[in-house]
Amino acid sequence: MSRIAYVNGRYLPFRDAKVHVEDRGYQFADGVYEVCEVRGGRLIDERRHIERLKRSLGEVRIRLPMSTTALGVILREVVARNRIGYGLVYLQISRGVARRDHAFPSPEVAPSVVVTARRLDLARNEALAAKGIAVISVPDNRWGRVDIKTVGLLPNALARQAAIDHGARDAWFVDNDGAVTEATSANAWIVTADGTLVTRRADHSILRGITRAVTFDAVKGQGFKVEERAFTLAEAFAAREAFITSATQIVLPVVRIDGRAVGDGKPGPIASRLRREFHRYAEVG
Ligand code: PDD
């Protein structure tokens, strides 16, 4: 079955799913995006993803060219047309197509809206979580507004590739103070020796992950202690457990950081429990 994408008002076979060469998303990374998990064909935490989308659009002054209800219909339609049971739906909105000029087009042009969806392999993801992943640390060289979910992800892509080149799966960005900000496409967490969960405060230095927010509810629901603060790489080396959270990975244990085992080098009980319990706290649309 051929994949179907939504592009500016039309549902198209993948080979015809194209945007113009002068799309500002392509030329300036002048666009924002969202990724939602799909489970049993249903969208997970759609409401919060759409809220964050609206915030991102507002921060970069792109207008949402349709109602959120219409957007919800399109997301569902793309999921249905691609017969996604378990997978993800991707939504990107750029400022639109205009002659290349750094300033915003004047008069304003219609934003470009693209939605794609794809299957993920549940068994493979569970196997990965059962094993845990290795990460490397890299200097955080991104811009100062990574709280906006823009498509400008070159530093993230370079860091992810550096991780792979070093035989790891992901990278953790570290700021000038030696504190971990986040992973290349996920938020970073540790569990300290006394069993407290720690993740960085959601300011401009990280993306305010939806999975991070739901994990907070799960952490509290499961009776664990949690602190929202910066933690250093040294603290992460000494942690009992570490993990990352994102829409596509949920709660994924980290078992090595820069080649050093975290705890006993196996996925920890707290991360594993949060992963199992996660969907009790998520919204199903
Ligand atoms: N990434 N931090 C960054 C830099 C991210 O790109 C993401 C998500 C997150 C976690 O956010 P959430 O829990 O809302 O998915 C944190 C998506 C999945 C991606 O780029 O594919």
Side-chain angles (χ1 to χ4, degrees):
M1 190 195 77
S2 118
R3 286 176 69 193
I4 304 290
Y6 172 92
V7 186
N8 293 325
R10 297 199 293 164
Y11 295 94
L12 298 169
F14 241 55
R15 65 173 176 281
D16 301 324
K18 295 176 180 146
V19 291
H20 196 273
V21 289
E22 285 203 306
D23 191 279
R24 290 180 61 98
Y26 178 62
Q27 291 188 331
F28 296 113
D30 186 0
V32 302
Y33 76 105
E34 278 296 329
V35 177
C36 236
E37 187 193 17
V38 178
R39 265 194 189 232
R42 323 250 315 255
L43 302 184
I44 304 299
D45 285 315
E46 176 193 8
R47 182 186 58 82
R48 293 198 242 208
H49 281 281
I50 299 299
E51 262 172 30
R52 186 174 62 189
L53 172 75
K54 289 203 277 192
R55 176 179 179 276
S56 295
L57 288 168
E59 291 294 319
V60 299
R61 295 160 58 198
I62 296 176
R63 118 189 112 76
L64 180 62
M66 62 184 76
S67 68
T68 51
T69 312
L71 195 56
V73 169
I74 294 166
L75 294 176
R76 277 179 187 70
E77 190 62 28
V78 173
V79 167
R81 287 191 189 219
N82 289 283
R83 300 197 197 127
I84 310 292
Y86 171 67
L88 65 85
V89 61
Y90 175 86
L91 158 68
Q92 178 172 326
I93 303 183
S94 80
R95 198 176 307 278
V97 177
R99 193 187 68 189
R100 186 176 181 279
D101 182 349
H102 291 64
F104 295 175
S106 175
E108 205 182 287
V109 294
S112 303
V113 181
V114 168
V115 179
T116 59
R118 74 178 159 92
R119 291 197 181 116
L120 293 174
D121 185 335
L122 186 60
R124 210 162 114 192
N125 280 0
E126 290 305 326
L128 186 66
K131 216 169 128 225
I133 63 160
V135 301
I136 61 165
S137 63
V138 295
D140 196 338
N141 57 0
R142 300 175 298 162
W143 75 317
R145 290 304 307 278
V146 298
D147 58 306
I148 309 170
K149 200 163 172 58
T150 79
V151 295
L153 294 172
L154 184 56
N156 308 57
L158 292 174
R160 175 72 64 79
Q161 188 57 43
I164 289 163
D165 293 345
H166 283 85
R169 181 101 190 176
D170 203 355
W172 277 14
F173 288 116
V174 176
D175 69 15
N176 290 336
D177 300 325
V180 174
T181 51
E182 60 182 337
T184 62
S185 64
N187 291 115
W189 298 66
I190 56 167
V191 181
T192 62
D194 77 350
T196 305
L197 286 102
V198 184
T199 194
R200 194 173 174 112
R201 202 160 51 83
D203 51 21
H204 288 174
S205 68
I206 66 165
L207 183 78
R208 187 184 285 258
I210 305 304
T211 317
R212 174 185 178 280
V214 177
T215 301
F216 261 101
D217 294 342
V219 163
K220 286 174 189 152
Q222 299 292 306
F224 297 121
K225 275 191 297 177
V226 60
E227 281 174 18
E228 227 177 333
R229 63 166 174 84
F231 61 86
T232 62
L233 195 55
E235 270 185 279
F237 289 147
R240 206 156 91 180
E241 295 185 32
F243 61 93
I244 56 174
T245 55
S246 80
T248 47
Q249 295 163 320
I250 305 304
V251 176
L252 182 61
V254 169
V255 294
R256 296 188 90 74
I257 304 172
D258 288 339
R260 309 182 194 201
V262 177
D264 61 4
K266 298 199 184 88
I270 294 180
S272 303
R273 180 147 143 210
L274 290 171
R275 183 180 176 86
R276 272 198 313 276
E277 300 291 331
F278 181 86
H279 288 93
R280 282 179 48 198
Y281 298 90
E283 287 175 11
V284 182

